[in-house]
Short mmCIF file of all heavy atoms in Angstrom, two decimals:
data_model
loop_
_atom_site.label_atom_id
_atom_site.label_comp_id
_atom_site.label_asym_id
_atom_site.label_seq_id
_atom_site.Cartn_x
_atom_site.Cartn_y
_atom_site.Cartn_z
N MET A 1 59.05 150.89 144.77
CA MET A 1 59.72 149.84 145.51
C MET A 1 59.26 149.82 146.97
O MET A 1 59.02 148.77 147.53
CB MET A 1 61.23 150.05 145.42
CG MET A 1 62.00 148.92 146.02
SD MET A 1 63.70 148.99 145.44
CE MET A 1 64.56 148.93 146.94
N LEU A 2 59.12 151.00 147.56
CA LEU A 2 58.66 151.07 148.94
C LEU A 2 57.23 150.55 149.06
O LEU A 2 56.90 149.83 150.01
CB LEU A 2 58.76 152.50 149.46
CG LEU A 2 58.34 152.72 150.91
CD1 LEU A 2 59.20 151.89 151.84
CD2 LEU A 2 58.42 154.18 151.28
N LYS A 3 56.40 150.89 148.08
CA LYS A 3 55.01 150.41 148.10
C LYS A 3 54.98 148.88 148.06
O LYS A 3 54.22 148.25 148.78
CB LYS A 3 54.26 151.00 146.91
CG LYS A 3 52.80 150.62 146.86
CD LYS A 3 52.11 151.27 145.68
CE LYS A 3 50.66 150.86 145.63
NZ LYS A 3 49.97 151.46 144.48
N ARG A 4 55.83 148.30 147.21
CA ARG A 4 55.87 146.83 147.12
C ARG A 4 56.38 146.22 148.42
O ARG A 4 55.87 145.20 148.89
CB ARG A 4 56.78 146.41 145.96
CG ARG A 4 56.65 144.94 145.65
CD ARG A 4 57.48 144.54 144.47
NE ARG A 4 58.58 143.75 145.02
CZ ARG A 4 59.79 143.68 144.52
NH1 ARG A 4 60.11 144.36 143.47
NH2 ARG A 4 60.71 142.95 145.08
N LEU A 5 57.36 146.87 149.05
CA LEU A 5 57.90 146.37 150.31
C LEU A 5 56.83 146.38 151.41
O LEU A 5 56.69 145.43 152.16
CB LEU A 5 59.10 147.21 150.74
CG LEU A 5 59.72 146.87 152.08
CD1 LEU A 5 60.36 145.48 152.05
CD2 LEU A 5 60.73 147.90 152.49
N LEU A 6 56.06 147.46 151.48
CA LEU A 6 55.07 147.60 152.55
C LEU A 6 53.77 146.85 152.29
O LEU A 6 53.16 146.31 153.21
CB LEU A 6 54.77 149.09 152.77
CG LEU A 6 55.93 149.93 153.28
CD1 LEU A 6 55.53 151.39 153.34
CD2 LEU A 6 56.42 149.44 154.63
N PHE A 7 53.33 146.82 151.02
CA PHE A 7 52.02 146.29 150.72
C PHE A 7 52.04 145.08 149.79
O PHE A 7 50.99 144.58 149.42
CB PHE A 7 51.13 147.38 150.10
CG PHE A 7 51.01 148.59 150.98
CD1 PHE A 7 51.65 149.77 150.66
CD2 PHE A 7 50.27 148.54 152.15
CE1 PHE A 7 51.54 150.90 151.47
CE2 PHE A 7 50.16 149.65 152.97
CZ PHE A 7 50.79 150.83 152.63
N GLY A 8 53.21 144.62 149.42
CA GLY A 8 53.31 143.49 148.52
C GLY A 8 52.79 142.20 149.14
O GLY A 8 52.66 142.07 150.35
N LYS A 9 52.47 141.27 148.29
CA LYS A 9 51.92 139.99 148.74
C LYS A 9 53.02 138.97 149.06
O LYS A 9 52.72 137.85 149.43
CB LYS A 9 51.00 139.41 147.66
CG LYS A 9 49.83 140.30 147.32
CD LYS A 9 48.87 140.42 148.49
CE LYS A 9 47.69 141.28 148.09
NZ LYS A 9 46.89 141.69 149.22
N GLU A 10 54.28 139.37 148.89
CA GLU A 10 55.38 138.45 149.18
C GLU A 10 55.37 138.08 150.66
O GLU A 10 54.78 138.76 151.49
CB GLU A 10 56.73 139.08 148.82
CG GLU A 10 56.92 139.34 147.35
CD GLU A 10 56.37 140.69 146.92
OE1 GLU A 10 55.87 141.43 147.77
OE2 GLU A 10 56.44 140.97 145.71
N GLU A 11 56.05 137.04 150.96
CA GLU A 11 56.14 136.57 152.35
C GLU A 11 56.82 137.63 153.22
O GLU A 11 57.94 138.04 152.96
CB GLU A 11 56.94 135.27 152.37
CG GLU A 11 57.01 134.63 153.72
CD GLU A 11 57.75 133.31 153.67
OE1 GLU A 11 57.78 132.66 152.62
OE2 GLU A 11 58.31 132.96 154.70
N GLN A 12 56.13 138.10 154.24
CA GLN A 12 56.66 139.13 155.12
C GLN A 12 57.33 138.53 156.36
O GLN A 12 58.15 139.17 156.99
CB GLN A 12 55.53 140.07 155.57
CG GLN A 12 54.90 140.84 154.42
CD GLN A 12 55.81 141.92 153.88
OE1 GLN A 12 56.55 142.55 154.62
NE2 GLN A 12 55.76 142.14 152.58
N GLU A 13 56.94 137.33 156.72
CA GLU A 13 57.51 136.65 157.88
C GLU A 13 57.89 135.24 157.46
O GLU A 13 57.26 134.65 156.59
CB GLU A 13 56.49 136.59 159.02
CG GLU A 13 56.10 137.94 159.56
CD GLU A 13 55.08 137.83 160.67
OE1 GLU A 13 54.83 136.71 161.16
OE2 GLU A 13 54.51 138.87 161.04
N PRO A 14 58.91 134.68 158.11
CA PRO A 14 59.29 133.30 157.75
C PRO A 14 58.18 132.32 158.10
O PRO A 14 57.42 132.53 159.06
CB PRO A 14 60.54 133.04 158.58
CG PRO A 14 60.54 134.06 159.65
CD PRO A 14 59.75 135.23 159.16
N LYS A 15 58.07 131.25 157.33
CA LYS A 15 57.05 130.23 157.58
C LYS A 15 57.35 129.44 158.85
O LYS A 15 56.45 128.96 159.52
CB LYS A 15 56.93 129.30 156.39
CG LYS A 15 56.38 130.00 155.17
CD LYS A 15 56.25 129.10 153.99
CE LYS A 15 55.69 129.93 152.86
NZ LYS A 15 55.70 129.34 151.59
N ALA A 16 58.61 129.31 159.17
CA ALA A 16 59.02 128.62 160.39
C ALA A 16 60.05 129.51 161.10
O ALA A 16 60.79 130.24 160.46
CB ALA A 16 59.65 127.27 160.06
N PRO A 17 60.07 129.51 162.42
CA PRO A 17 61.04 130.34 163.12
C PRO A 17 62.47 129.89 162.82
O PRO A 17 62.74 128.70 162.70
CB PRO A 17 60.70 130.14 164.61
CG PRO A 17 59.91 128.89 164.66
CD PRO A 17 59.23 128.73 163.33
N PRO A 18 63.41 130.83 162.68
CA PRO A 18 64.79 130.46 162.42
C PRO A 18 65.45 129.88 163.67
O PRO A 18 65.03 130.15 164.79
CB PRO A 18 65.45 131.79 162.04
CG PRO A 18 64.60 132.83 162.67
CD PRO A 18 63.22 132.27 162.71
N GLY A 19 66.45 129.07 163.44
CA GLY A 19 67.22 128.53 164.57
C GLY A 19 66.66 127.22 165.06
O GLY A 19 65.82 126.63 164.42
N PRO A 20 67.12 126.72 166.16
CA PRO A 20 68.14 127.35 167.01
C PRO A 20 69.52 127.26 166.38
O PRO A 20 69.81 126.37 165.60
CB PRO A 20 68.08 126.53 168.30
CG PRO A 20 67.64 125.18 167.85
CD PRO A 20 66.71 125.42 166.68
N PHE A 21 70.34 128.22 166.73
CA PHE A 21 71.70 128.27 166.22
C PHE A 21 72.63 127.81 167.32
O PHE A 21 72.49 128.18 168.47
CB PHE A 21 72.05 129.69 165.78
CG PHE A 21 71.14 130.20 164.71
CD1 PHE A 21 70.10 131.05 165.01
CD2 PHE A 21 71.31 129.80 163.41
CE1 PHE A 21 69.24 131.51 164.03
CE2 PHE A 21 70.46 130.25 162.40
CZ PHE A 21 69.43 131.11 162.72
N ARG A 22 73.58 127.01 166.96
CA ARG A 22 74.53 126.49 167.95
C ARG A 22 75.83 127.27 167.87
O ARG A 22 76.29 127.62 166.79
CB ARG A 22 74.78 125.01 167.68
CG ARG A 22 73.49 124.22 167.70
CD ARG A 22 73.73 122.75 167.95
NE ARG A 22 72.53 121.96 167.79
CZ ARG A 22 71.55 121.89 168.68
NH1 ARG A 22 71.63 122.58 169.78
NH2 ARG A 22 70.50 121.13 168.47
N THR A 23 76.40 127.54 169.02
CA THR A 23 77.66 128.27 169.11
C THR A 23 78.79 127.30 169.39
O THR A 23 78.69 126.47 170.28
CB THR A 23 77.59 129.32 170.24
OG1 THR A 23 76.49 130.18 169.99
CG2 THR A 23 78.85 130.12 170.32
N ASP A 24 79.85 127.42 168.65
CA ASP A 24 81.05 126.62 168.87
C ASP A 24 81.90 127.33 169.92
O ASP A 24 82.69 128.21 169.60
CB ASP A 24 81.82 126.44 167.56
CG ASP A 24 83.00 125.50 167.71
OD1 ASP A 24 83.27 125.04 168.84
OD2 ASP A 24 83.65 125.23 166.69
N VAL A 25 81.70 126.99 171.17
CA VAL A 25 82.37 127.66 172.28
C VAL A 25 83.88 127.50 172.19
O VAL A 25 84.64 128.43 172.48
CB VAL A 25 81.84 127.14 173.64
CG1 VAL A 25 82.55 127.78 174.79
CG2 VAL A 25 80.33 127.38 173.72
N ALA A 26 84.34 126.35 171.75
CA ALA A 26 85.78 126.12 171.62
C ALA A 26 86.39 127.08 170.61
O ALA A 26 87.49 127.60 170.82
CB ALA A 26 86.05 124.68 171.23
N ALA A 27 85.69 127.34 169.52
CA ALA A 27 86.21 128.27 168.51
C ALA A 27 86.27 129.69 169.05
O ALA A 27 87.20 130.43 168.76
CB ALA A 27 85.35 128.21 167.26
N LEU A 28 85.28 130.08 169.85
CA LEU A 28 85.29 131.42 170.43
C LEU A 28 86.35 131.57 171.52
O LEU A 28 86.87 132.66 171.73
CB LEU A 28 83.92 131.77 171.00
CG LEU A 28 82.82 131.97 169.97
CD1 LEU A 28 81.49 132.21 170.67
CD2 LEU A 28 83.14 133.11 169.03
N ALA A 29 86.67 130.49 172.20
CA ALA A 29 87.67 130.54 173.27
C ALA A 29 89.09 130.59 172.70
O ALA A 29 90.00 131.08 173.36
CB ALA A 29 87.53 129.33 174.19
N ALA A 30 89.27 130.10 171.48
CA ALA A 30 90.60 130.09 170.88
C ALA A 30 91.04 131.52 170.58
O ALA A 30 90.25 132.35 170.14
CB ALA A 30 90.58 129.28 169.59
N PRO A 31 92.31 131.83 170.84
CA PRO A 31 92.79 133.19 170.56
C PRO A 31 92.80 133.47 169.06
O PRO A 31 92.99 132.58 168.25
CB PRO A 31 94.20 133.20 171.13
CG PRO A 31 94.60 131.77 171.19
CD PRO A 31 93.35 130.98 171.38
N VAL A 32 92.57 134.72 168.73
CA VAL A 32 92.60 135.16 167.34
C VAL A 32 93.98 135.74 167.06
O VAL A 32 94.50 136.52 167.86
CB VAL A 32 91.50 136.21 167.09
CG1 VAL A 32 91.55 136.73 165.66
CG2 VAL A 32 90.15 135.62 167.38
N LEU A 33 94.56 135.37 165.94
CA LEU A 33 95.87 135.90 165.58
C LEU A 33 95.82 137.41 165.43
O LEU A 33 94.80 137.98 165.07
CB LEU A 33 96.36 135.26 164.28
CG LEU A 33 96.50 133.74 164.29
CD1 LEU A 33 96.87 133.24 162.91
CD2 LEU A 33 97.53 133.31 165.31
N ALA A 34 96.95 138.06 165.68
CA ALA A 34 97.00 139.52 165.61
C ALA A 34 96.65 140.04 164.22
O ALA A 34 96.12 141.13 164.07
CB ALA A 34 98.37 140.02 166.04
N ALA A 35 96.95 139.26 163.18
CA ALA A 35 96.67 139.69 161.81
C ALA A 35 95.30 139.25 161.32
O ALA A 35 94.94 139.50 160.18
CB ALA A 35 97.75 139.14 160.88
N ALA A 36 94.51 138.62 162.18
CA ALA A 36 93.22 138.06 161.76
C ALA A 36 92.07 138.97 162.16
O ALA A 36 92.19 139.81 163.05
CB ALA A 36 93.02 136.68 162.36
N LEU A 37 90.95 138.78 161.50
CA LEU A 37 89.71 139.47 161.81
C LEU A 37 88.62 138.42 161.94
O LEU A 37 88.48 137.54 161.10
CB LEU A 37 89.33 140.45 160.69
CG LEU A 37 87.90 140.98 160.72
CD1 LEU A 37 87.68 141.88 161.92
CD2 LEU A 37 87.58 141.72 159.43
N ARG A 38 87.85 138.50 163.02
CA ARG A 38 86.70 137.59 163.19
C ARG A 38 85.54 138.42 163.73
O ARG A 38 85.69 139.18 164.68
CB ARG A 38 87.04 136.46 164.16
CG ARG A 38 85.86 135.51 164.35
CD ARG A 38 86.22 134.19 165.01
NE ARG A 38 86.79 134.37 166.32
CZ ARG A 38 87.35 133.38 167.02
NH1 ARG A 38 87.42 132.16 166.51
NH2 ARG A 38 87.85 133.61 168.21
N VAL A 39 84.38 138.26 163.09
CA VAL A 39 83.17 138.95 163.51
C VAL A 39 82.12 137.88 163.80
O VAL A 39 81.84 137.03 162.96
CB VAL A 39 82.66 139.91 162.41
CG1 VAL A 39 81.38 140.59 162.85
CG2 VAL A 39 83.73 140.93 162.05
N THR A 40 81.55 137.92 165.00
CA THR A 40 80.54 136.95 165.41
C THR A 40 79.27 137.70 165.75
O THR A 40 79.27 138.60 166.59
CB THR A 40 81.01 136.17 166.66
OG1 THR A 40 82.28 135.58 166.38
CG2 THR A 40 80.02 135.10 167.03
N TRP A 41 78.18 137.35 165.06
CA TRP A 41 76.89 137.98 165.31
C TRP A 41 76.33 137.44 166.61
O TRP A 41 76.20 136.24 166.81
CB TRP A 41 75.95 137.69 164.14
CG TRP A 41 74.58 138.22 164.30
CD1 TRP A 41 74.21 139.52 164.38
CD2 TRP A 41 73.38 137.47 164.39
NE1 TRP A 41 72.85 139.63 164.51
CE2 TRP A 41 72.31 138.37 164.52
CE3 TRP A 41 73.09 136.10 164.38
CZ2 TRP A 41 70.99 137.98 164.64
CZ3 TRP A 41 71.77 135.72 164.49
CH2 TRP A 41 70.74 136.64 164.61
N LEU A 42 75.97 138.34 167.53
CA LEU A 42 75.44 137.95 168.83
C LEU A 42 73.92 138.07 168.89
O LEU A 42 73.30 137.60 169.83
CB LEU A 42 76.06 138.79 169.95
CG LEU A 42 77.58 138.67 170.09
CD1 LEU A 42 78.08 139.60 171.17
CD2 LEU A 42 77.97 137.23 170.40
N GLY A 43 73.35 138.71 167.92
CA GLY A 43 71.90 138.85 167.89
C GLY A 43 71.49 140.29 167.69
O GLY A 43 72.15 141.22 168.14
N HIS A 44 70.41 140.45 166.97
CA HIS A 44 69.82 141.74 166.63
C HIS A 44 70.88 142.70 166.08
O HIS A 44 71.26 142.60 164.94
CB HIS A 44 69.05 142.33 167.81
CG HIS A 44 68.28 143.56 167.44
ND1 HIS A 44 67.30 143.53 166.49
CD2 HIS A 44 68.36 144.83 167.87
CE1 HIS A 44 66.80 144.75 166.36
NE2 HIS A 44 67.43 145.55 167.18
N SER A 45 71.38 143.62 166.88
CA SER A 45 72.33 144.62 166.38
C SER A 45 73.65 144.58 167.14
O SER A 45 74.32 145.59 167.28
CB SER A 45 71.71 146.02 166.48
OG SER A 45 71.44 146.31 167.85
N ARG A 46 74.02 143.41 167.64
CA ARG A 46 75.27 143.29 168.40
C ARG A 46 76.19 142.28 167.75
O ARG A 46 75.76 141.23 167.30
CB ARG A 46 74.97 142.86 169.83
CG ARG A 46 74.12 143.88 170.55
CD ARG A 46 73.68 143.35 171.86
NE ARG A 46 74.83 143.29 172.75
CZ ARG A 46 74.74 143.10 174.05
NH1 ARG A 46 73.58 142.92 174.60
NH2 ARG A 46 75.81 143.07 174.78
N VAL A 47 77.49 142.62 167.72
CA VAL A 47 78.49 141.72 167.18
C VAL A 47 79.70 141.71 168.11
O VAL A 47 79.96 142.66 168.83
CB VAL A 47 78.95 142.10 165.75
CG1 VAL A 47 77.82 142.00 164.77
CG2 VAL A 47 79.57 143.47 165.72
N LEU A 48 80.42 140.60 168.08
CA LEU A 48 81.70 140.49 168.76
C LEU A 48 82.76 140.68 167.69
O LEU A 48 82.83 139.90 166.73
CB LEU A 48 81.85 139.11 169.43
CG LEU A 48 83.18 138.85 170.12
CD1 LEU A 48 83.38 139.81 171.29
CD2 LEU A 48 83.24 137.41 170.59
N LEU A 49 83.56 141.73 167.81
CA LEU A 49 84.58 142.06 166.83
C LEU A 49 85.94 141.71 167.42
O LEU A 49 86.28 142.18 168.51
CB LEU A 49 84.50 143.54 166.49
CG LEU A 49 85.52 144.10 165.52
CD1 LEU A 49 85.36 143.44 164.15
CD2 LEU A 49 85.36 145.60 165.39
N GLU A 50 86.68 140.87 166.72
CA GLU A 50 88.01 140.46 167.16
C GLU A 50 89.00 140.88 166.08
O GLU A 50 88.95 140.40 164.96
CB GLU A 50 88.05 138.97 167.39
CG GLU A 50 87.06 138.55 168.48
CD GLU A 50 86.95 137.06 168.63
OE1 GLU A 50 87.77 136.47 169.35
OE2 GLU A 50 86.05 136.49 167.99
N LEU A 51 89.88 141.80 166.44
CA LEU A 51 90.81 142.38 165.48
C LEU A 51 92.11 142.75 166.19
O LEU A 51 92.08 143.34 167.27
CB LEU A 51 90.18 143.64 164.85
CG LEU A 51 91.01 144.43 163.86
CD1 LEU A 51 91.27 143.61 162.61
CD2 LEU A 51 90.28 145.71 163.49
N GLY A 52 93.20 142.39 165.60
CA GLY A 52 94.50 142.75 166.16
C GLY A 52 94.76 142.14 167.52
O GLY A 52 95.47 142.72 168.34
N GLY A 53 94.18 140.98 167.78
CA GLY A 53 94.38 140.32 169.07
C GLY A 53 93.48 140.83 170.18
O GLY A 53 93.58 140.38 171.32
N TYR A 54 92.59 141.78 169.88
CA TYR A 54 91.68 142.33 170.88
C TYR A 54 90.25 141.94 170.55
O TYR A 54 89.89 141.75 169.39
CB TYR A 54 91.77 143.86 170.93
CG TYR A 54 93.10 144.36 171.43
CD1 TYR A 54 94.10 144.73 170.54
CD2 TYR A 54 93.36 144.43 172.79
CE1 TYR A 54 95.32 145.17 171.00
CE2 TYR A 54 94.59 144.87 173.26
CZ TYR A 54 95.56 145.24 172.36
OH TYR A 54 96.77 145.68 172.81
N ARG A 55 89.41 141.86 171.59
CA ARG A 55 87.99 141.56 171.42
C ARG A 55 87.18 142.72 171.98
O ARG A 55 87.47 143.24 173.05
CB ARG A 55 87.60 140.30 172.21
CG ARG A 55 88.19 139.05 171.67
CD ARG A 55 87.81 137.85 172.50
NE ARG A 55 88.31 136.65 171.89
CZ ARG A 55 88.28 135.46 172.44
NH1 ARG A 55 87.75 135.32 173.63
NH2 ARG A 55 88.77 134.43 171.81
N THR A 56 86.15 143.10 171.24
CA THR A 56 85.24 144.13 171.72
C THR A 56 83.83 143.82 171.21
O THR A 56 83.67 143.28 170.13
CB THR A 56 85.68 145.55 171.30
OG1 THR A 56 84.83 146.51 171.91
CG2 THR A 56 85.64 145.72 169.79
N GLU A 57 82.85 144.15 172.01
CA GLU A 57 81.46 143.96 171.62
C GLU A 57 80.94 145.29 171.09
O GLU A 57 81.13 146.33 171.69
CB GLU A 57 80.65 143.53 172.83
CG GLU A 57 79.24 143.15 172.50
CD GLU A 57 78.50 142.65 173.72
OE1 GLU A 57 79.11 142.17 174.67
OE2 GLU A 57 77.25 142.75 173.70
N VAL A 58 80.31 145.24 169.93
CA VAL A 58 79.81 146.44 169.27
C VAL A 58 78.30 146.33 169.15
O VAL A 58 77.79 145.31 168.72
CB VAL A 58 80.44 146.60 167.86
CG1 VAL A 58 79.94 147.84 167.17
CG2 VAL A 58 81.96 146.60 167.95
N ALA A 59 77.62 147.39 169.56
CA ALA A 59 76.15 147.43 169.47
C ALA A 59 75.74 148.68 168.72
O ALA A 59 76.27 149.77 168.97
CB ALA A 59 75.53 147.43 170.86
N ALA A 60 74.82 148.54 167.78
CA ALA A 60 74.31 149.68 167.04
C ALA A 60 73.25 150.39 167.88
O ALA A 60 72.54 149.77 168.65
CB ALA A 60 73.71 149.23 165.73
N GLY A 61 73.16 151.67 167.72
CA GLY A 61 72.15 152.43 168.44
C GLY A 61 72.75 153.67 169.08
O GLY A 61 73.95 153.93 168.98
N PRO A 62 71.93 154.43 169.76
CA PRO A 62 72.42 155.66 170.39
C PRO A 62 73.36 155.33 171.55
O PRO A 62 73.23 154.28 172.19
CB PRO A 62 71.14 156.34 170.90
CG PRO A 62 70.15 155.25 171.01
CD PRO A 62 70.50 154.23 169.98
N PRO A 63 74.32 156.19 171.81
CA PRO A 63 75.22 155.93 172.93
C PRO A 63 74.50 155.96 174.27
O PRO A 63 73.51 156.68 174.43
CB PRO A 63 76.25 157.07 172.84
CG PRO A 63 75.58 158.12 172.02
CD PRO A 63 74.59 157.43 171.13
N LEU A 64 74.97 155.15 175.19
CA LEU A 64 74.38 155.12 176.52
C LEU A 64 74.88 156.29 177.35
O LEU A 64 76.05 156.66 177.27
CB LEU A 64 74.71 153.80 177.23
CG LEU A 64 74.22 152.54 176.50
CD1 LEU A 64 74.72 151.31 177.22
CD2 LEU A 64 72.70 152.53 176.44
N ALA A 65 74.02 156.88 178.13
CA ALA A 65 74.41 158.03 178.95
C ALA A 65 75.12 157.61 180.20
O ALA A 65 75.01 156.55 180.69
CB ALA A 65 73.18 158.87 179.30
#
């Protein structure tokens, strides 16, 4: 499977660039209910996590010093 992933003839890159993606600013500005969960992808490895009435930005990777 790894050999096919690395050396296969399948399309490795998209034929056209993805996007542009539009953000609904009004939806992001609206408060999230305390019992609701909303996850918004911000790009690459970052997401905006809204849970329990709180918002936090989460990024994957090593912790910053």
Side-chain angles (χ1 to χ4, degrees):
M1 187 163 128
L2 181 60
K3 183 178 178 181
R4 191 177 109 211
L5 176 67
L6 295 175
F7 303 108
K9 300 293 182 193
E10 294 87 1
E11 185 177 334
Q12 297 288 324
E13 296 179 11
K15 292 180 180 169
F21 301 100
R22 303 201 187 283
T23 303
D24 185 356
V25 178
L28 291 176
V32 177
L33 300 175
L37 165 68
R38 180 166 60 189
V39 179
T40 306
W41 177 65
L42 298 177
H44 188 60
S45 62
R46 298 172 71 167
V47 296
L48 177 64
L49 178 63
E50 299 173 85
L51 177 66
Y54 294 97
R55 292 178 175 171
T56 186
E57 187 176 336
V58 180
L64 300 174

